[in-house]
Every structure is written in C-alpha cells, then in structure tokens.
Amino acid sequence: PTRLVAIGDARKPALAQKMAYHLRLQQPPIVGRISENVLLLDPRTVLPEEDEIIISALTAIAKK
C-alpha cells in the first residue's frame, strides 16, 4: 500500500500537464502520472536524500 501526493486542480486539466512536463525536465527527471486531471507522485519512489530535490523543483515550478 502507498499514499500518493496529488498536485493540481481537477477543474484545470492543463495545470497537471504543465506540472508533469516541467518536472520531467528536471535533473534528475521527476516522473508522476496523471489521473482525473491531477498529477500524482508516489513518495515510495523517492529516497530520503532526494526529498529536497523534489521540494525545490515543485517550489520553482509553482513560482512560474
């Protein structure tokens, strides 16, 4: 079992696509999946030492 981090607004499908696109451009790429117009990230796929990479990427993208 896992818990997912949901990012976006189901009423704004372009937002999830935009976030997914920009996350894939990161080094290393951050890959999630889109379901019902919301981007889903699975924390099980992230090592503890990678947490800051994810947080920094999400913060930078949110400021755009």
Side-chain angles (χ1 to χ4, degrees):
T2 190
R3 295 184 188 259
L4 300 174
V5 176
I7 301 170
D9 182 339
R11 298 167 296 180
K12 298 178 183 175
L15 179 60
Q17 294 289 338
K18 177 182 172 186
M19 293 290 288
Y21 172 78
H22 286 289
L23 287 173
R24 285 192 307 271
L25 294 177
Q26 300 298 308
Q27 288 302 321
I30 301 167
V31 180
R33 66 183 169 97
I34 296 176
S35 177
E36 298 182 17
N37 297 323
V38 175
L39 176 63
L40 301 173
L41 301 176
D42 187 343
R44 290 184 310 166
T45 64
V46 180
L47 298 173
E49 59 269 19
E50 296 173 327
D51 286 346
E52 191 56 43
I53 295 169
I54 306 292
I55 293 167
S56 294
L58 289 171
T59 302
I61 292 167
K63 290 180 180 179
K64 291 184 179 186

